Amino acid sequence: MCGIVGYVGEKNAESILLNGLRKLEYRGYDSAGVAIINKKGEMNLAKSKGRLANLEDKLKQNPLEGSVGIGHTRWATHGEPSDLNCHPHTNQKKTISVVHNGIIENYLELKEYLISKGYEFYSETDTEVIPNLIDYYYKGNLLEAVMEATSKIEGSYALGITSVDEPGKVVAVRKDSPLIVGIGKGEYFIASDVPAILNHTRDVVYLNDKEFVEMTKEEISFYSKEGKKLEKDIHHVTWNADAAEKGGFEHFMIKEIHEQPRAIRDTMASRIIPGKPISIDNIALTKEQIKNIEKIYIVACGTAYHAGIIGKYVIEKMARIPVEVDIASEFRYRDPIFSDKTLLIVMSQSGETADTLAALREAKAKGVRVVAITNVVGSSVSREADDVLYTWAGPEIAVASTKAYTTQLITMYILGLFFAQNKNTMTSAEIEDIKNSMLTLPEKAEEILKQKEVLQKFAENTYMHKDMFFLGRGIDYAVAMEGALKVKEISYIHSEAYAGGELKHGTIALIEKGTIVIALATQNDLYEKMLSNVREVTTRGAKVLGLTVEGNNSIEKTVDSALYVPQVNSVLLPVITVISLQLLAYYIAAAKGCDIDKPRNLAKSVTVE
Ligand code: M6R
């Protein structure tokens, strides 16, 4: 779970690599390093524990010359964050350097073998076996040595490799970790993700598993693992570099929260059009196949899993198909029951989450059709699934997911309606009604963004608390889970979500004078029941922020402060409600002075198990 970059061309590699790593820090940020080959063919390394800024300071003191290099920003798996464990790693002779994202599962075995051949190791990482293994196989052709070495490696990897024996070259390969190649004029790039190279080119090639690239400033070639030359398509990226910047906001998270009206609109575009049937590009499921589905699994992690729980409510309600929602890391090991009438939906912002990808592969291996919902075009899940439904949220940089969640909800509504349309479980008028309501969501989301003051005030009065409880019933309970996750991951306050009716079965023992409770009561059919649950906690001294829809002013008699969300079809309310909770979490973390975009111990994209 790291970010890698590489460059060959005529420009100063150091600044290009640092600029790329800055855009990849969301993938890991406990140490960073570069290896650059100068005009004399010498390879120089600079590494530093901690944020990229430390490496930048080091390089300001001692800049590295050269126009060929690789760089890395790390999120530790094997070996603590330290200068020694920081990438790039080299072979013992320091002629080959490697940056790696992933995990080498058989590294101990390989290490023992190499030690028996006289190699010495200095770090605690799994990665250090790679440059030594390449060295072991090197017989005058770097690409061939990399091919030979990777054929012995088990696990996941995206690798960037340079060698002083072939100084004008970068070789790269991927398996189960993302890697893209940027095509410039007289220059080429590799990177874990597109924003790292957008300042230089928008033309990219997506590498498939076990595909190799060899690049010099004059030419670039792609190879299969058998060494066969490949013709790869070049894709033109439509995001501009600015879309990946903060755009005047203090943090990416708050910028991304504010991007939601646009993101929601984009995700609906061309799919939700009044008077026209729902159409979904890249979904080839036929009416017959949809009618045949008897069971759907939605599998995801973290925030995407929470969107999946809403998906269950939505698909069951609209299309009357039973849905089970699973955490990917549990699903893959629990031997789920599949039949030819099962559909698997995997949901992943990055499209690279290791557990989600493994669940997809497990299901596919058993002949189950897989629909992927992802935000990243060309990501692993999008390439491996049978059908893909993209969320058009744009790049999400903040570790805490916001616009990815709301756009995932939109795709759940689109799928629910699409299935209902094909199964005739809803009338055209009912479908039209929800579609029209969906089309008002962007403006409703804009209204919520104006709640800043009341949420900021509540945050300033609560940020010093150690615990926080979120309550909700039905669909509100699912939103409460996402609200609690947002608070805990960026402000480190222990926060939990409970179903309102479940409180009295244990959790209520935790409520005491001054306990902070955020109660969601947006669903009219459950409103009175929810207020009863709120009374249960206020009686015991809790301080409650109640969140309901406009018009339900009676809530003010029960809670300490009330917040209103605009009226919209009740099944769509999570899209609006969650934005209040995202803002609340953001202002709590800001009041506490937390590092909002890079919360401790977390990485944006979890590409290891
Ligand atoms: O890229 P994915 O959607 O597969 O990521 C899944 C989770 O790792 C992610 O949602 C995580 O929970 C976020 N930090 C939540 O804000």
Side-chain angles (χ1 to χ4, degrees), residues 300-305 347-353 356 396 398-402 404 408 482 485-486 489 602-606:
C301 301
T303 285
Y305 166 71
M347 191 139 58
S348 171
Q349 186 285 127
S350 60
E352 301 294 345
T353 298
T356 309
E396 192 180 65
V399 167
S401 207
T402 54
Q408 282 162 353
E482 177 58 9
L485 176 62
K486 288 289 90 84
E489 70 181 327
L602 293 178
K604 179 71 181 160
S605 187
V606 186

PDB file of all heavy atoms in Angstrom, residues 300-305 347-353 356 396 398-402 404 408 482 485-486 489 602-606, ligand 1:
ATOM      1  N   ALA A 300     -17.909  -5.463  -0.091  1.00  0.00           N
ATOM      2  CA  ALA A 300     -17.087  -4.247  -0.098  1.00  0.00           C
ATOM      3  C   ALA A 300     -16.417  -4.072   1.262  1.00  0.00           C
ATOM      4  O   ALA A 300     -16.607  -4.900   2.162  1.00  0.00           O
ATOM      5  CB  ALA A 300     -17.978  -3.037  -0.411  1.00  0.00           C
ATOM      6  N   CYS A 301     -15.644  -3.013   1.413  1.00  0.00           N
ATOM      7  CA  CYS A 301     -14.967  -2.722   2.679  1.00  0.00           C
ATOM      8  C   CYS A 301     -15.270  -1.276   3.095  1.00  0.00           C
ATOM      9  O   CYS A 301     -15.461  -0.410   2.233  1.00  0.00           O
ATOM     10  CB  CYS A 301     -13.456  -2.815   2.530  1.00  0.00           C
ATOM     11  SG  CYS A 301     -12.882  -4.409   1.993  1.00  0.00           S
ATOM     12  N   GLY A 302     -15.235  -1.036   4.400  1.00  0.00           N
ATOM     13  CA  GLY A 302     -15.304   0.329   4.946  1.00  0.00           C
ATOM     14  C   GLY A 302     -16.530   1.082   4.481  1.00  0.00           C
ATOM     15  O   GLY A 302     -17.673   0.598   4.534  1.00  0.00           O
ATOM     16  N   THR A 303     -16.280   2.283   3.979  1.00  0.00           N
ATOM     17  CA  THR A 303     -17.363   3.141   3.526  1.00  0.00           C
ATOM     18  C   THR A 303     -18.177   2.492   2.405  1.00  0.00           C
ATOM     19  O   THR A 303     -19.409   2.600   2.374  1.00  0.00           O
ATOM     20  CB  THR A 303     -16.764   4.484   3.059  1.00  0.00           C
ATOM     21  OG1 THR A 303     -16.400   5.210   4.227  1.00  0.00           O
ATOM     22  CG2 THR A 303     -17.711   5.302   2.227  1.00  0.00           C
ATOM     23  N   ALA A 304     -17.497   1.812   1.509  1.00  0.00           N
ATOM     24  CA  ALA A 304     -18.206   1.164   0.395  1.00  0.00           C
ATOM     25  C   ALA A 304     -19.145   0.082   0.941  1.00  0.00           C
ATOM     26  O   ALA A 304     -20.244  -0.127   0.414  1.00  0.00           O
ATOM     27  CB  ALA A 304     -17.199   0.570  -0.587  1.00  0.00           C
ATOM     28  N   TYR A 305     -18.713  -0.578   2.017  1.00  0.00           N
ATOM     29  CA  TYR A 305     -19.583  -1.581   2.661  1.00  0.00           C
ATOM     30  C   TYR A 305     -20.838  -0.889   3.211  1.00  0.00           C
ATOM     31  O   TYR A 305     -21.961  -1.399   3.070  1.00  0.00           O
ATOM     32  CB  TYR A 305     -18.784  -2.283   3.772  1.00  0.00           C
ATOM     33  CG  TYR A 305     -19.620  -3.100   4.728  1.00  0.00           C
ATOM     34  CD1 TYR A 305     -20.205  -4.297   4.331  1.00  0.00           C
ATOM     35  CD2 TYR A 305     -19.818  -2.666   6.043  1.00  0.00           C
ATOM     36  CE1 TYR A 305     -20.977  -5.044   5.214  1.00  0.00           C
ATOM     37  CE2 TYR A 305     -20.586  -3.409   6.932  1.00  0.00           C
ATOM     38  CZ  TYR A 305     -21.165  -4.594   6.515  1.00  0.00           C
ATOM     39  OH  TYR A 305     -21.929  -5.319   7.387  1.00  0.00           O
ATOM     40  N   MET A 347     -18.113  -3.398  -4.658  1.00  0.00           N
ATOM     41  CA  MET A 347     -18.107  -1.934  -4.685  1.00  0.00           C
ATOM     42  C   MET A 347     -16.782  -1.455  -4.102  1.00  0.00           C
ATOM     43  O   MET A 347     -16.413  -1.846  -2.995  1.00  0.00           O
ATOM     44  CB  MET A 347     -19.294  -1.436  -3.853  1.00  0.00           C
ATOM     45  CG  MET A 347     -19.553   0.017  -4.022  1.00  0.00           C
ATOM     46  SD  MET A 347     -21.314   0.377  -4.140  1.00  0.00           S
ATOM     47  CE  MET A 347     -21.967  -0.277  -2.649  1.00  0.00           C
ATOM     48  N   SER A 348     -16.082  -0.621  -4.849  1.00  0.00           N
ATOM     49  CA  SER A 348     -14.765  -0.155  -4.383  1.00  0.00           C
ATOM     50  C   SER A 348     -14.426   1.153  -5.068  1.00  0.00           C
ATOM     51  O   SER A 348     -14.338   1.200  -6.307  1.00  0.00           O
ATOM     52  CB  SER A 348     -13.713  -1.209  -4.719  1.00  0.00           C
ATOM     53  OG  SER A 348     -12.431  -0.710  -4.466  1.00  0.00           O
ATOM     54  N   GLN A 349     -14.238   2.202  -4.289  1.00  0.00           N
ATOM     55  CA  GLN A 349     -13.848   3.492  -4.859  1.00  0.00           C
ATOM     56  C   GLN A 349     -12.614   3.321  -5.715  1.00  0.00           C
ATOM     57  O   GLN A 349     -12.605   3.665  -6.888  1.00  0.00           O
ATOM     58  CB  GLN A 349     -13.594   4.483  -3.715  1.00  0.00           C
ATOM     59  CG  GLN A 349     -13.305   5.919  -4.122  1.00  0.00           C
ATOM     60  CD  GLN A 349     -11.923   6.175  -4.685  1.00  0.00           C
ATOM     61  OE1 GLN A 349     -11.798   6.747  -5.786  1.00  0.00           O
ATOM     62  NE2 GLN A 349     -10.880   5.751  -4.010  1.00  0.00           N
ATOM     63  N   SER A 350     -11.562   2.767  -5.104  1.00  0.00           N
ATOM     64  CA  SER A 350     -10.266   2.660  -5.798  1.00  0.00           C
ATOM     65  C   SER A 350     -10.283   1.567  -6.852  1.00  0.00           C
ATOM     66  O   SER A 350      -9.537   1.623  -7.819  1.00  0.00           O
ATOM     67  CB  SER A 350      -9.175   2.330  -4.780  1.00  0.00           C
ATOM     68  OG  SER A 350      -9.475   1.093  -4.141  1.00  0.00           O
ATOM     69  N   GLY A 351     -11.100   0.546  -6.622  1.00  0.00           N
ATOM     70  CA  GLY A 351     -11.084  -0.614  -7.513  1.00  0.00           C
ATOM     71  C   GLY A 351      -9.855  -1.477  -7.306  1.00  0.00           C
ATOM     72  O   GLY A 351      -9.574  -2.373  -8.107  1.00  0.00           O
ATOM     73  N   GLU A 352      -9.118  -1.206  -6.238  1.00  0.00           N
ATOM     74  CA  GLU A 352      -7.869  -1.942  -6.010  1.00  0.00           C
ATOM     75  C   GLU A 352      -7.839  -2.596  -4.636  1.00  0.00           C
ATOM     76  O   GLU A 352      -6.810  -3.191  -4.279  1.00  0.00           O
ATOM     77  CB  GLU A 352      -6.651  -1.004  -6.123  1.00  0.00           C
ATOM     78  CG  GLU A 352      -6.507  -0.294  -7.455  1.00  0.00           C
ATOM     79  CD  GLU A 352      -6.211  -1.243  -8.619  1.00  0.00           C
ATOM     80  OE1 GLU A 352      -5.848  -2.401  -8.372  1.00  0.00           O
ATOM     81  OE2 GLU A 352      -6.388  -0.812  -9.774  1.00  0.00           O
ATOM     82  N   THR A 353      -8.886  -2.470  -3.829  1.00  0.00           N
ATOM     83  CA  THR A 353      -8.857  -3.026  -2.475  1.00  0.00           C
ATOM     84  C   THR A 353      -8.670  -4.540  -2.544  1.00  0.00           C
ATOM     85  O   THR A 353      -9.460  -5.248  -3.183  1.00  0.00           O
ATOM     86  CB  THR A 353     -10.160  -2.637  -1.742  1.00  0.00           C
ATOM     87  OG1 THR A 353     -10.176  -1.214  -1.675  1.00  0.00           O
ATOM     88  CG2 THR A 353     -10.214  -3.215  -0.345  1.00  0.00           C
ATOM     89  N   THR A 356     -11.594  -6.950  -1.612  1.00  0.00           N
ATOM     90  CA  THR A 356     -12.726  -6.853  -2.545  1.00  0.00           C
ATOM     91  C   THR A 356     -12.379  -7.556  -3.856  1.00  0.00           C
ATOM     92  O   THR A 356     -13.186  -8.293  -4.428  1.00  0.00           O
ATOM     93  CB  THR A 356     -13.084  -5.368  -2.780  1.00  0.00           C
ATOM     94  OG1 THR A 356     -13.225  -4.745  -1.506  1.00  0.00           O
ATOM     95  CG2 THR A 356     -14.356  -5.205  -3.567  1.00  0.00           C
ATOM     96  N   GLU A 396     -10.623  10.939  -5.734  1.00  0.00           N
ATOM     97  CA  GLU A 396     -10.843  11.183  -4.301  1.00  0.00           C
ATOM     98  C   GLU A 396      -9.489  10.999  -3.613  1.00  0.00           C
ATOM     99  O   GLU A 396      -8.932   9.902  -3.630  1.00  0.00           O
ATOM    100  CB  GLU A 396     -11.884  10.217  -3.740  1.00  0.00           C
ATOM    101  CG  GLU A 396     -12.339  10.636  -2.340  1.00  0.00           C
ATOM    102  CD  GLU A 396     -13.381   9.681  -1.764  1.00  0.00           C
ATOM    103  OE1 GLU A 396     -13.039   8.511  -1.521  1.00  0.00           O
ATOM    104  OE2 GLU A 396     -14.529  10.111  -1.536  1.00  0.00           O
ATOM    105  N   ALA A 398      -8.610  12.572  -0.278  1.00  0.00           N
ATOM    106  CA  ALA A 398      -8.667  12.452   1.192  1.00  0.00           C
ATOM    107  C   ALA A 398      -8.867  10.991   1.565  1.00  0.00           C
ATOM    108  O   ALA A 398      -9.620  10.275   0.889  1.00  0.00           O
ATOM    109  CB  ALA A 398      -9.812  13.289   1.743  1.00  0.00           C
ATOM    110  N   VAL A 399      -8.198  10.566   2.626  1.00  0.00           N
ATOM    111  CA  VAL A 399      -8.347   9.174   3.066  1.00  0.00           C
ATOM    112  C   VAL A 399      -9.810   8.893   3.421  1.00  0.00           C
ATOM    113  O   VAL A 399     -10.357   7.839   3.094  1.00  0.00           O
ATOM    114  CB  VAL A 399      -7.395   8.884   4.251  1.00  0.00           C
ATOM    115  CG1 VAL A 399      -7.760   7.568   4.925  1.00  0.00           C
ATOM    116  CG2 VAL A 399      -5.957   8.830   3.757  1.00  0.00           C
ATOM    117  N   ALA A 400     -10.446   9.842   4.089  1.00  0.00           N
ATOM    118  CA  ALA A 400     -11.857   9.650   4.461  1.00  0.00           C
ATOM    119  C   ALA A 400     -12.728   9.817   3.216  1.00  0.00           C
ATOM    120  O   ALA A 400     -12.745  10.865   2.575  1.00  0.00           O
ATOM    121  CB  ALA A 400     -12.252  10.656   5.526  1.00  0.00           C
ATOM    122  N   SER A 401     -13.445   8.782   2.916  1.00  0.00           N
ATOM    123  CA  SER A 401     -14.260   8.759   1.703  1.00  0.00           C
ATOM    124  C   SER A 401     -15.536   9.577   1.901  1.00  0.00           C
ATOM    125  O   SER A 401     -16.228   9.407   2.903  1.00  0.00           O
ATOM    126  CB  SER A 401     -14.613   7.294   1.452  1.00  0.00           C
ATOM    127  OG  SER A 401     -14.828   7.073   0.123  1.00  0.00           O
ATOM    128  N   THR A 402     -15.856  10.448   0.962  1.00  0.00           N
ATOM    129  CA  THR A 402     -17.083  11.258   1.075  1.00  0.00           C
ATOM    130  C   THR A 402     -17.869  11.199  -0.234  1.00  0.00           C
ATOM    131  O   THR A 402     -18.908  10.557  -0.311  1.00  0.00           O
ATOM    132  CB  THR A 402     -16.743  12.721   1.428  1.00  0.00           C
ATOM    133  OG1 THR A 402     -15.793  13.219   0.474  1.00  0.00           O
ATOM    134  CG2 THR A 402     -16.199  12.846   2.835  1.00  0.00           C
ATOM    135  N   ALA A 404     -17.172   9.582  -2.800  1.00  0.00           N
ATOM    136  CA  ALA A 404     -17.266   8.212  -3.312  1.00  0.00           C
ATOM    137  C   ALA A 404     -18.516   7.548  -2.750  1.00  0.00           C
ATOM    138  O   ALA A 404     -19.229   6.844  -3.458  1.00  0.00           O
ATOM    139  CB  ALA A 404     -16.024   7.417  -2.927  1.00  0.00           C
ATOM    140  N   GLN A 408     -21.704   6.235  -4.743  1.00  0.00           N
ATOM    141  CA  GLN A 408     -22.014   4.797  -4.657  1.00  0.00           C
ATOM    142  C   GLN A 408     -23.500   4.608  -4.351  1.00  0.00           C
ATOM    143  O   GLN A 408     -24.158   3.717  -4.900  1.00  0.00           O
ATOM    144  CB  GLN A 408     -21.165   4.123  -3.566  1.00  0.00           C
ATOM    145  CG  GLN A 408     -19.728   3.860  -4.023  1.00  0.00           C
ATOM    146  CD  GLN A 408     -18.762   3.610  -2.872  1.00  0.00           C
ATOM    147  OE1 GLN A 408     -19.111   3.760  -1.697  1.00  0.00           O
ATOM    148  NE2 GLN A 408     -17.541   3.252  -3.193  1.00  0.00           N
ATOM    149  N   GLU A 482     -21.975   5.056   8.818  1.00  0.00           N
ATOM    150  CA  GLU A 482     -21.013   5.832   8.035  1.00  0.00           C
ATOM    151  C   GLU A 482     -20.608   7.099   8.805  1.00  0.00           C
ATOM    152  O   GLU A 482     -19.430   7.477   8.801  1.00  0.00           O
ATOM    153  CB  GLU A 482     -21.614   6.166   6.655  1.00  0.00           C
ATOM    154  CG  GLU A 482     -20.758   7.024   5.748  1.00  0.00           C
ATOM    155  CD  GLU A 482     -19.374   6.456   5.427  1.00  0.00           C
ATOM    156  OE1 GLU A 482     -19.083   5.298   5.758  1.00  0.00           O
ATOM    157  OE2 GLU A 482     -18.560   7.227   4.884  1.00  0.00           O
ATOM    158  N   LEU A 485     -18.101   6.090  11.405  1.00  0.00           N
ATOM    159  CA  LEU A 485     -16.779   5.793  10.812  1.00  0.00           C
ATOM    160  C   LEU A 485     -16.042   7.093  10.485  1.00  0.00           C
ATOM    161  O   LEU A 485     -14.842   7.228  10.752  1.00  0.00           O
ATOM    162  CB  LEU A 485     -16.942   4.938   9.550  1.00  0.00           C
ATOM    163  CG  LEU A 485     -15.646   4.631   8.770  1.00  0.00           C
ATOM    164  CD1 LEU A 485     -14.654   3.834   9.615  1.00  0.00           C
ATOM    165  CD2 LEU A 485     -15.932   3.876   7.481  1.00  0.00           C
ATOM    166  N   LYS A 486     -16.772   8.081   9.950  1.00  0.00           N
ATOM    167  CA  LYS A 486     -16.118   9.341   9.600  1.00  0.00           C
ATOM    168  C   LYS A 486     -15.510   9.987  10.839  1.00  0.00           C
ATOM    169  O   LYS A 486     -14.381  10.450  10.816  1.00  0.00           O
ATOM    170  CB  LYS A 486     -17.110  10.334   8.958  1.00  0.00           C
ATOM    171  CG  LYS A 486     -17.555  10.031   7.571  1.00  0.00           C
ATOM    172  CD  LYS A 486     -16.510  10.225   6.489  1.00  0.00           C
ATOM    173  CE  LYS A 486     -15.702   8.993   6.239  1.00  0.00           C
ATOM    174  NZ  LYS A 486     -16.198   7.985   5.349  1.00  0.00           N
ATOM    175  N   GLU A 489     -12.400   7.880  12.158  1.00  0.00           N
ATOM    176  CA  GLU A 489     -11.166   7.822  11.377  1.00  0.00           C
ATOM    177  C   GLU A 489     -10.435   9.148  11.280  1.00  0.00           C
ATOM    178  O   GLU A 489      -9.210   9.159  11.187  1.00  0.00           O
ATOM    179  CB  GLU A 489     -11.370   7.196   9.993  1.00  0.00           C
ATOM    180  CG  GLU A 489     -12.144   7.999   8.996  1.00  0.00           C
ATOM    181  CD  GLU A 489     -12.312   7.289   7.656  1.00  0.00           C
ATOM    182  OE1 GLU A 489     -11.425   6.540   7.250  1.00  0.00           O
ATOM    183  OE2 GLU A 489     -13.354   7.497   7.014  1.00  0.00           O
ATOM    184  N   LEU A 602      -3.740   5.103   8.707  1.00  0.00           N
ATOM    185  CA  LEU A 602      -4.614   4.768   7.569  1.00  0.00           C
ATOM    186  C   LEU A 602      -3.946   5.064   6.235  1.00  0.00           C
ATOM    187  O   LEU A 602      -3.043   5.881   6.154  1.00  0.00           O
ATOM    188  CB  LEU A 602      -5.904   5.596   7.642  1.00  0.00           C
ATOM    189  CG  LEU A 602      -6.846   5.290   8.790  1.00  0.00           C
ATOM    190  CD1 LEU A 602      -8.029   6.224   8.743  1.00  0.00           C
ATOM    191  CD2 LEU A 602      -7.321   3.851   8.720  1.00  0.00           C
ATOM    192  N   ALA A 603      -4.415   4.389   5.212  1.00  0.00           N
ATOM    193  CA  ALA A 603      -4.001   4.711   3.846  1.00  0.00           C
ATOM    194  C   ALA A 603      -5.249   4.715   2.984  1.00  0.00           C
ATOM    195  O   ALA A 603      -6.245   4.093   3.326  1.00  0.00           O
ATOM    196  CB  ALA A 603      -3.018   3.687   3.331  1.00  0.00           C
ATOM    197  N   LYS A 604      -5.189   5.451   1.899  1.00  0.00           N
ATOM    198  CA  LYS A 604      -6.379   5.603   1.063  1.00  0.00           C
ATOM    199  C   LYS A 604      -6.783   4.291   0.408  1.00  0.00           C
ATOM    200  O   LYS A 604      -7.945   3.949   0.355  1.00  0.00           O
ATOM    201  CB  LYS A 604      -6.096   6.664  -0.007  1.00  0.00           C
ATOM    202  CG  LYS A 604      -7.243   6.898  -0.974  1.00  0.00           C
ATOM    203  CD  LYS A 604      -8.383   7.608  -0.301  1.00  0.00           C
ATOM    204  CE  LYS A 604      -9.556   7.850  -1.212  1.00  0.00           C
ATOM    205  NZ  LYS A 604     -10.780   8.083  -0.423  1.00  0.00           N
ATOM    206  N   SER A 605      -5.799   3.614  -0.105  1.00  0.00           N
ATOM    207  CA  SER A 605      -6.125   2.450  -0.898  1.00  0.00           C
ATOM    208  C   SER A 605      -5.463   1.230  -0.261  1.00  0.00           C
ATOM    209  O   SER A 605      -4.240   1.172  -0.154  1.00  0.00           O
ATOM    210  CB  SER A 605      -5.596   2.697  -2.316  1.00  0.00           C
ATOM    211  OG  SER A 605      -6.017   1.703  -3.166  1.00  0.00           O
ATOM    212  N   VAL A 606      -6.287   0.274   0.192  1.00  0.00           N
ATOM    213  CA  VAL A 606      -5.746  -0.844   0.972  1.00  0.00           C
ATOM    214  C   VAL A 606      -5.499  -2.024   0.027  1.00  0.00           C
ATOM    215  O   VAL A 606      -6.345  -2.895  -0.133  1.00  0.00           O
ATOM    216  CB  VAL A 606      -6.693  -1.220   2.128  1.00  0.00           C
ATOM    217  CG1 VAL A 606      -6.059  -2.274   3.022  1.00  0.00           C
ATOM    218  CG2 VAL A 606      -7.013   0.018   2.956  1.00  0.00           C
TER     219      VAL A 606
HETATM  220  O1  M6R B   1     -11.333   1.893  -2.418  1.00  0.00           O
HETATM  221  P1  M6R B   1     -12.370   1.181  -1.614  1.00  0.00           P
HETATM  222  O2  M6R B   1     -13.735   1.778  -1.748  1.00  0.00           O
HETATM  223  O3  M6R B   1     -12.396  -0.301  -1.890  1.00  0.00           O
HETATM  224  O4  M6R B   1     -11.935   1.362  -0.107  1.00  0.00           O
HETATM  225  C1  M6R B   1     -12.626   0.727   0.923  1.00  0.00           C
HETATM  226  C2  M6R B   1     -12.244   1.270   2.272  1.00  0.00           C
HETATM  227  O5  M6R B   1     -10.879   1.064   2.518  1.00  0.00           O
HETATM  228  C3  M6R B   1     -12.560   2.759   2.409  1.00  0.00           C
HETATM  229  O6  M6R B   1     -13.902   3.024   2.159  1.00  0.00           O
HETATM  230  C4  M6R B   1     -12.203   3.249   3.827  1.00  0.00           C
HETATM  231  O7  M6R B   1     -13.062   2.672   4.757  1.00  0.00           O
HETATM  232  C5  M6R B   1     -12.267   4.782   3.914  1.00  0.00           C
HETATM  233  N1  M6R B   1     -11.132   5.275   4.632  1.00  0.00           N
HETATM  234  C6  M6R B   1     -13.440   5.287   4.649  1.00  0.00           C
HETATM  235  O8  M6R B   1     -13.482   6.676   4.716  1.00  0.00           O
END
